Amino acid sequence: MNEKVTATPPPSTDPCAFRPNDGVVFATGLEREHWYQLTNRGNSGSVLAPYLPNRVYQSYPNNVSRVAMASAPRGQFVQQFQNLAGTHEPQTAFKFALPRSDVYYWRFYRQYEPGYQFTCESKAFSIYAHNPITYTLPAGERPNGTNEVSCFLQMMPNCWYDNRSMMRRCFDAEGVNTRSEPVLYCYHLDQPTGYGEKFRQNIGEPTYITSGQWIDFHMMMKRNTPDQADGEIKLWINGVLKMHHTGIRFRTVPELQLNAVSLGGYIGGTCTSARDQKIWDDHYMVATTFITDERFAALCETKTEWFDTGIGYDWDLDRRCWPGVSCLP
């Protein structure tokens, strides 16, 4: 089968209309109760969901929930991660597939509850390249340039071991756990150990975050030309560019492209949460181009529902195609 389906375009005044050329491939303001199921409709993210036979998320992961919050930066609802003392919870997260691309920008809001203790690494919104999309690189194993790479936004505790400089660093006095250092934790071909490299802010003075306030995080990951050291990553914090690293080798083959996103609140890796405490996220967005403030302000659920063109599987629900996109054979 190689058919195409066409559909009547929605009104141009709709800020959440399907616009295949505007670059936005994933967006949710969390305002709809079942946003995570809508996101799966016709999406290869259904392949990454753990529920059979339809492979659609039927519920929230453990210790993750959608809650109303008066101080939400957009709308009324946010995503809540419940950290449990002495654990890595929540250990699972929503993960969805994206159209294959060599570059993605991803942006969202995050807040740590007032008085949060930053004693451990806190992982957040992540971008992946899986080849094939169902492949997962074991933790601590080096990527080989053909199978998988990723970049996580990660909040580091006061004192942590930098595997690039082979040094343990502290930015506050020992024992002070009221601030955190945002880094991009990336797997790439030249990482110093089997585990990924924590890229630090390299523009101006580092921005450290504290609890009880919403932070606007905006990231970019660009794949290198195969076998050339021209990959890039960027991080903006509250609209200010704080990180830009270049010369990174992520891949050796063109097939290894960005194709998945994960929305998580995992606490790890060698330590666990110091106490029961909460993290809140709001307004996730992924695009192939820079996410402007105007674009980010739109409260939308998924803008486009695509598939990974390398895997031949049936859609969940009752549809095999998305308007304007060729169906798989």
Side-chain angles (χ1 to χ4, degrees), residues 12-221:
S12 59
T13 55
D14 179 3
C16 301
F18 175 75
R19 297 185 179 93
N21 297 319
D22 75 352
V24 177
V25 299
F26 181 95
T28 178
L30 302 167
E31 295 304 294
R32 298 187 184 183
E33 181 179 1
H34 299 292
W35 68 268
Y36 50 94
Q37 293 177 330
L38 295 172
T39 301
N40 268 288
R41 291 178 63 233
N43 189 311
S44 59
S46 58
V47 170
L48 304 176
Y51 303 100
L52 297 174
N54 291 329
R55 301 178 183 270
V56 175
Y57 287 109
Q58 301 297 330
S59 62
Y60 262 73
N62 290 337
N63 296 303
V64 185
S65 57
R66 172 182 171 270
V67 299
M69 177 178 285
S71 65
R74 305 282 183 190
Q76 302 177 34
F77 292 91
V78 300
Q79 182 146 273
Q80 177 176 287
F81 300 100
Q82 176 66 66
N83 299 154
L84 300 179
T87 76
H88 296 295
E89 285 295 321
Q91 296 199 56
T92 57
F94 287 114
K95 191 169 186 179
F96 304 104
L98 303 172
R100 291 175 178 266
S101 178
D102 286 342
V103 60
Y104 268 127
Y105 293 77
W106 64 109
R107 187 173 178 179
F108 76 124
Y109 294 105
R110 170 162 284 205
Q111 180 183 168
Y112 290 83
E113 74 170 40
Y116 193 96
Q117 292 295 292
F118 296 99
T119 58
C120 198
E121 301 168 6
S122 174
K123 295 182 179 179
F125 205 175
S126 311
I127 291 286
Y128 291 84
H130 298 287
N131 185 32
I133 197 169
T134 50
Y135 176 81
T136 300
L137 185 73
E141 183 175 314
R142 289 178 178 274
N144 64 16
T146 70
N147 53 10
E148 180 186 309
V149 286
S150 59
C151 271
F152 297 69
L153 176 64
Q154 187 161 286
M155 316 301 166
M156 301 304 296
N158 175 21
C159 300
W160 56 278
Y161 182 76
D162 185 339
N163 63 1
R164 170 61 70 182
S165 63
M166 303 297 181
M167 292 178 58
R168 183 173 181 270
R169 303 173 182 270
C170 298
F171 51 83
D172 285 327
E174 286 270 9
V176 175
N177 301 308
T178 56
R179 299 199 300 171
S180 179
E181 178 180 358
V183 303
L184 285 181
Y185 176 53
C186 302
Y187 276 77
H188 63 96
L189 288 172
D190 302 310
Q191 61 194 44
T193 68
Y195 289 91
E197 179 174 359
K198 298 176 178 69
F199 287 91
R200 307 187 76 161
Q201 299 169 48
N202 61 350
I203 300 176
E205 293 297 316
T207 294
Y208 302 105
I209 67 167
T210 58
S211 62
Q213 55 186 292
W214 286 103
I215 309 294
D216 178 348
F217 290 107
H218 190 178
M219 291 72 63
M220 184 276 279
M221 185 178 185

